[in-house]
Structures are given as C-alpha cells and as structure tokens.
Amino acid sequence: MASNQPNEVDEVIRELKLNAGFTQYAIMSNDGIVIKCEGMERTKAIQHAHLVLDLCAKSKKYIRELFEPPDNEVESLRLKTNEYEMIVAQHGNNTLVVIQDTADKSHHAGEEEEEEKKE
C-alpha cells in the first residue's frame, strides 16, 4: 500500500532550497553512482561524485589518524571559494553534495565596479 507521506529526502531537499544561494545538489551512493541531481548536468554530477567521494575518504582517513575517538569522526565537509560553497554530508551509504552561491560574490562584483570608476 502506497503512502501519501512525502519522502524524507524530498523534505530535506525542499528545506535546503529555502536557503539563500542554494543552486544545485546531487545525491549519490558511496560507490559513486549518482542517484538524483538538480541544477547541474548529469556529467558534472558524476564528476563531483568521483572527486568528492575521494576527498571524503582521504579526509576520514587522516582525521582518524590525527585525533582520538570520539573526536575523530567526519560528519560533513564545507569547501568555500569566491564563486560558490560546497557542502558534503555522508550518511550511511549515501552522500549529499549541495552547492550554493556565496554572498561574497556580489560584494566582489561591487569592488570591481568601483575600481573601474576610479580609472
């Protein structure tokens, strides 16, 4: 019997979309198989899956070597550039990658316009 209840994953994605700057996401298995993505091409999601899962594996390995339990578990990674911010969270056998625009992007654009006016 099918349930009319919304899927838990869909609810989390719906809440994430309410955050300012949210642009893209991909859900993948920890084997690198992209399950669902939005806002990015599938080939880009596959590329993110390969790179992010490798980064997560290495991060977990080195954090476990550096710290003693219980402080040696990696729950999520946050990577920030001038253009975007990537948040990676692993749970069970799945990984969620969220990409959002940074607020700094508009700030830097304003600085460039000011520099052009000075010249």
Side-chain angles (χ1 to χ4, degrees), residues 47-94:
Q47 181 183 21
H48 281 310
H50 172 73
L51 296 172
V52 162
L53 292 173
D54 188 44
L55 177 64
C56 286
K58 288 178 180 177
S59 297
K60 285 183 178 185
K61 177 185 175 204
Y62 292 116
I63 293 296
R64 284 186 183 134
E65 289 177 8
L66 291 171
F67 299 101
E68 297 294 321
D71 296 329
N72 66 351
E73 288 299 317
V74 177
E75 294 179 10
S76 62
L77 299 173
R78 182 178 176 193
L79 309 166
K80 189 172 183 179
T81 69
N82 289 335
E83 296 177 15
Y84 64 88
E85 178 178 28
M86 181 183 289
I87 301 163
V88 181
Q90 289 188 310
H91 183 72
N93 193 36
N94 296 307

Side-chain angles (χ1 to χ4, degrees), residues 100-112:
Q100 56 188 20
D101 289 332
T102 59
D104 295 341
K105 190 174 183 181
S106 61
H107 179 69
H108 290 300
E111 287 177 0
E112 290 173 6

Side-chain angles (χ1 to χ4, degrees), residues 19-33:
N19 292 325
F22 179 92
T23 58
Q24 310 168 44
Y25 77 91
I27 300 172
M28 59 203 71
S29 72
N30 289 345
D31 296 326
I33 299 169

